[in-house]
Amino acid sequence: METKPISRRAFVGAAMALLAAPSLVRSFAGVTAANGVANSVYGTGEPPCGNSPIAPPAEFRWNPAPLELYRRADGTIATDWDVSAFAYNGAGKAYYVSLHDGSDMNDGLTLATAFQSVSKALLMPDVDIVYIDEGVYPRKHAFNSTTIPRSVSLIALPGKQVVLGTHDMLTWTEESGYPGTYKAARTSVGRVFDAAFTDPFGDYAELVVRNSVAEVASNPGSAYWDGTTVWVRTADSRSPDDQLRVFVAVKNANIEGAKTIYMEGIRFEGGTNPFRGANSSAEPNELRIYAKNCKFKYSSATNGFHILGARECFTQNCEAARNRSDGFKYHLYNGRAPMAVEVGNIGRHNGIPGETNQNGSTTHDGATIIRVNGMYFSNIGPNVADVNEETHSWNVGCVSYDSRVGVSTTQNVNWQNYGLGNQMWLDDCVSIGSLYDLYASSAATIHIRNIRSNGRLKTNSGAAITAY
């Protein structure tokens, strides 16, 4: 089996062009449905480039697909689908939240009378939409461990930078005998980051965990905690300020049961999961999750965007990065396997050193996913992995490269598929930089068409990689 070769230089150029390109979607005004969710936009408007839609694979179980894809003359993929068409808009009210100008004693009905806390708005019995103003919201003004109690849209105000975290504003004192080392009372510490220092991707610098206060004092840019107290020494030995984020290992955004949530323009940072959605055993088929232009980063326990049994989970131009385990993850729950769409998503730099199976995007247990124009790279394990029995994925126009796991293992792969009955389709995708481009095992099949890679393909245990 051969794939079209591509040089690293050409690949990087193509990847950077995708990152810099304007959105490949066009917005539509959705028509509100009876359940408060705007009707989806399927085949609405003029097709991009005047072309006919790309037909989903004949055996792909989501056929017809919930969006139409088109191939431009230059081979790139376009779609007129926009997840904002699914924004929740029921019969209730819109409330406003402003960290710097609001008060939880206000009525929250205008920006001038905004609440200060997101959790306050979510607990209003008639809330349908929460508009959030600029700010880095600490735990007590973000969700504060509140499970989202009803269907809702959470939307950052236009042009505003909104961060919802699990950190607290701590009181720091310098540790006696250790100049430049500071301590604060804090239980349940998950991870510690310093937003004063960022890398080329805009990620905060993580403080290295040490084994004692003395080690922290000897190593700027490190932290130690013992269950009740956290000690830090910043990289520049400054006194801790609001740029230092001690993320607590508690739930951040969490929704459960037969609900619908739409999120737009929000960065979810820290917590056991920055975002978690789970259905209920009583109504396993009624969880719907939609997100646009959101980021999910710095989980302390497992995954950045963790979905359990959603009937629909549609995301667009979202990013999951620097999480303890996987970036985007979908699992069977209460007998329901998720149906997911990722358009223009980025899953990168997930996992921690010493791990070998942390992914940028991964589906499990018979879930179904469509990935379009996604970028998945530098994860400590397979960049994309679809696993366990009867999982289906259709991947179109995606790029995957540079797994960060050890080069001697089959986990150093861009596209992995394993499990009896698993099928992965790759259309117009690019792969480079890992030990293997494609790896199919345990009776799984990877179907490829118009793939560009180094041709490093591997199969075992009755699996196959085949053109279609």
Side-chain angles (χ1 to χ4, degrees):
M1 179 62 57
E2 294 184 356
T3 62
K4 297 178 183 179
I6 182 172
S7 69
R8 174 178 291 271
R9 186 172 188 178
F11 172 78
V12 172
M16 293 303 102
L18 280 173
L19 282 174
S23 173
L24 297 179
V25 300
R26 185 168 66 245
S27 298
F28 293 88
V31 179
T32 301
N35 66 355
V37 183
N39 289 330
S40 57
V41 182
Y42 297 163
T44 302
E46 293 297 321
C49 315
N51 295 336
S52 298
I54 302 170
E59 297 180 11
F60 183 56
R61 68 166 61 98
W62 210 349
N63 196 344
L67 75 170
E68 291 183 341
L69 307 178
Y70 304 86
R71 186 176 289 108
R72 292 191 174 100
D74 64 0
T76 59
I77 304 302
T79 179
D80 56 10
W81 182 87
D82 194 321
V83 75
S84 64
F86 296 87
Y88 183 83
N89 187 11
K93 296 177 181 178
Y95 286 90
Y96 292 79
V97 177
S98 177
L99 177 65
H100 300 295
D101 299 320
S103 168
D104 287 347
M105 300 302 293
N106 290 339
D107 62 19
L109 294 174
T110 69
L111 185 57
T113 61
F115 296 134
Q116 190 178 24
S117 304
V118 173
S119 58
K120 172 70 174 181
L122 290 174
L123 292 173
M124 300 303 292
D126 55 356
V127 62
D128 278 335
I129 304 174
V130 179
Y131 292 110
I132 309 174
D133 198 9
E134 182 100 14
V136 177
Y137 289 72
R139 183 169 66 109
K140 73 173 185 176
H141 293 307
F143 295 99
N144 202 17
S145 299
T146 298
T147 295
I148 298 168
R150 56 178 292 162
S151 296
V152 69
S153 285
L154 299 174
I155 302 175
L157 288 173
K160 302 298 184 180
Q161 298 292 320
V162 174
V163 177
L164 304 181
T166 64
H167 61 288
D168 292 313
M169 306 307 293
L170 303 178
T171 300
W172 297 93
T173 58
E174 191 169 26
E175 180 63 76
S176 177
Y178 295 105
T181 302
Y182 295 81
K183 66 180 179 181
R186 178 66 271 172
T187 60
S188 302
V189 175
R191 299 169 75 181
V192 183
F193 289 84
D194 192 345
F197 299 93
T198 58
D199 67 13
F201 293 92
D203 300 333
Y204 309 151
E206 184 168 11
L207 274 65
V208 177
V209 180
R210 303 295 179 179
N211 295 314
S212 68
V213 180
E215 286 188 21
V216 171
S218 299
N219 296 278
S222 60
Y224 166 71
W225 51 90
D226 65 0
T228 60
T229 304
V230 56
W231 289 264
V232 302
R233 183 170 183 182
T234 59
D236 55 359
S237 298
R238 73 184 191 283
S239 175
D241 51 23
D242 60 2
Q243 296 288 82
L244 191 74
R245 313 279 164 80
V246 179
F247 290 122
V248 182
V250 297
K251 292 177 181 177
N252 195 340
N254 184 59
I255 190 166
E256 299 176 355
K259 300 180 181 72
T260 295
I261 186 169
Y262 174 78
M263 304 165 284
E264 183 173 337
I266 299 171
R267 289 159 49 188
F268 300 86
E269 296 184 353
T272 51
N273 306 110
F275 180 87
R276 176 185 178 272
N279 66 18
S280 66
S281 58
E283 297 177 286
N285 296 320
E286 299 306 320
L287 174 65
R288 294 174 174 86
I289 297 167
Y290 310 103
K292 183 176 182 179
N293 299 335
C294 291
K295 296 186 178 185
F296 310 94
K297 301 173 74 171
Y298 314 126
S299 74
S300 61
T302 56
N303 314 296
F305 185 76
H306 191 183
I307 305 302
L308 299 168
R311 175 174 178 170
E312 290 183 344
C313 182
F314 297 168
T315 56
Q316 183 175 18
N317 299 337
C318 291
E319 182 176 23
R322 303 294 180 184
N323 294 293
R324 169 65 177 76
S325 293
D326 301 317
F328 299 95
K329 187 168 189 173
Y330 310 88
H331 260 292
L332 177 81
Y333 199 63
N334 290 320
R336 174 79 202 199
M339 305 288 282
V341 174
E342 296 180 8
V343 175
N345 282 11
I346 298 173
R348 61 170 181 81
H349 295 106
N350 293 291
I352 61 173
E355 300 289 341
T356 61
N357 191 21
Q358 313 308 323
N359 318 124
S361 179
T362 178
T363 58
H364 297 247
D365 317 320
T368 306
I369 189 169
I370 300 171
R371 302 182 181 97
V372 182
N373 291 339
M375 295 189 69
Y376 308 97
F377 59 94
S378 296
N379 300 285
I380 302 182
N383 286 310
V384 178
D386 297 326
V387 304
N388 301 341
E389 295 185 5
E390 299 298 332
T391 296
H392 277 206
S393 73
W394 184 31
N395 307 273
V396 188
C398 297
V399 294
S400 181
Y401 61 100
D402 287 351
S403 167
R404 289 189 296 141
V405 78
V407 297
S408 62
T409 172
T410 53
Q411 297 296 79
N412 192 315
V413 61
N414 289 325
W415 304 92
Q416 182 188 68
N417 192 26
Y418 71 83
L420 181 65
N422 274 22
Q423 297 196 68
M424 170 187 282
W425 288 267
L426 300 177
D427 275 290
D428 299 277
C429 292
V430 178
S431 171
I432 202 169
S434 298
L435 181 63
Y436 296 104
D437 293 298
L438 316 179
Y439 177 37
S441 65
S442 303
T445 302
I446 300 178
H447 310 268
I448 61 175
R449 182 167 59 185
N450 299 328
I451 299 302
R452 304 193 70 187
S453 77
N454 285 325
R456 297 169 182 157
L457 316 181
K458 183 175 178 62
T459 63
N460 66 20
S461 303
I465 299 174
T466 181
Y468 84 105

